[in-house]
Amino acid sequence: MQKAMTIAYPVGKNLYLNLTNRCPCACTFCIRTMSDGAYGSNPLWLEHEPSMMEIQAALEKVDVKAYEEVVFCGFGEPTERLDVLVETAKWLKAQGVRTIRLNTNGLSDLIHGQKTAQALAGAVDIVSVSLNAGTEQAYLEVTRPKFGAQAFAAMQAFAVDCKAYVPKVMLTVVDVLAPSEMTAAKALAQRLDIPLRVRQFDDAAARRDG
């Protein structure tokens, strides 16, 4: 008998979607190394990546319109399945969902080998990109992306590109950054003209990358 998978799980007034366990990063603070779930959810490790039919079936079991936001953020990087993400977001829009947010490490362009922000147009309302640090060296030490040094610049470029296609874009860092890194992160966000959200550590660990 096939085990049930956790595709959708509530977090306060929001509904989170878990589409993949794949991720190009190995962040030092990743919740996957500390727990099998987040915010008291069932285990978020997927037996297989859910199809659109399975995703829709999971979402039809809940009142998606009742949530303030539907958030793509699970035990993997959502843009690893960019086409499915966009198709799911547009399906949710058709169901009357008010706000759709993507929590991402911002490496979608490197994952797919091309510019990808335009794909989010009309599907996603908010993109939250994990900055994680204010300097390249600290970013690489904390995020440990498989793409190496090019990841820091690619993440920034993706965030800037999103401004042309998504109503709201933000960068995020965790409040445990060293003062010098926090200062650098604020300066970088200002240069990119993107708001910076500083998250509490517990919140960051529970959300994994958002």
Side-chain angles (χ1 to χ4, degrees):
M1 183 177 178
Q2 191 178 60
K3 294 186 297 183
M5 297 192 299
T6 304
I7 297 172
Y9 60 105
V11 178
K13 296 180 179 180
N14 298 332
L15 183 69
Y16 277 46
L17 299 186
N18 182 39
L19 302 185
T20 182
N21 291 154
R22 287 181 285 157
C23 184
C25 298
C27 296
T28 56
F29 57 82
C30 183
I31 188 63
R32 303 196 307 183
T33 66
M34 310 173 197
S35 171
D36 285 337
Y39 286 114
S41 72
N42 290 327
L44 295 175
W45 293 111
L46 295 166
E47 188 176 80
H48 62 269
E49 292 189 335
S51 65
M52 272 304 304
M53 185 177 298
E54 290 173 310
I55 294 167
Q56 289 181 15
L59 292 173
E60 285 170 349
K61 294 177 181 178
V62 298
D63 182 5
V64 293
K65 292 187 294 184
Y67 293 94
E68 290 187 358
E69 294 180 358
V70 175
V71 185
F72 289 94
C73 178
F75 256 20
E77 167 51 40
T79 62
E80 287 275 5
R81 303 190 72 196
L82 184 61
D83 290 347
V84 173
L85 185 162
V86 170
E87 186 177 354
T88 301
K90 290 181 176 179
W91 183 87
L92 288 165
K93 286 286 187 184
Q95 310 311 306
V97 171
R98 291 168 290 177
T99 304
I100 296 176
R101 169 160 52 102
L102 166 62
N103 287 358
T104 176
N105 58 32
L107 300 182
S108 180
D109 293 353
L110 293 180
I111 290 170
H112 297 284
Q114 61 184 5
K115 292 285 189 178
T116 56
Q118 187 173 1
L120 304 176
V124 174
D125 303 292
I126 304 171
V127 171
S128 176
V129 180
S130 294
L131 179 58
N132 290 333
T135 62
E136 181 178 349
Q137 180 179 348
Y139 171 85
L140 293 175
E141 290 174 354
V142 170
T143 306
R144 300 184 294 189
K146 73 177 186 181
F147 299 110
Q150 62 181 324
F152 190 58
M155 173 270 296
Q156 295 173 61
F158 175 80
V160 170
D161 288 348
C162 282
K163 294 196 293 180
Y165 304 108
V166 178
K168 184 177 180 180
V169 181
M170 69 181 81
L171 299 171
T172 65
V173 293
V174 185
D175 62 1
V176 296
L177 286 185
S180 60
E181 280 298 318
M182 186 65 74
T183 298
K186 291 177 179 178
L188 176 57
Q190 187 172 21
R191 289 198 301 272
L192 299 178
D193 192 26
I194 298 176
L196 179 70
R197 177 181 168 227
V198 180
R199 296 175 294 153
Q200 294 181 348
F201 176 73
D202 287 345
D203 179 51
R207 290 172 185 264
R208 189 196 64 81
D209 67 350

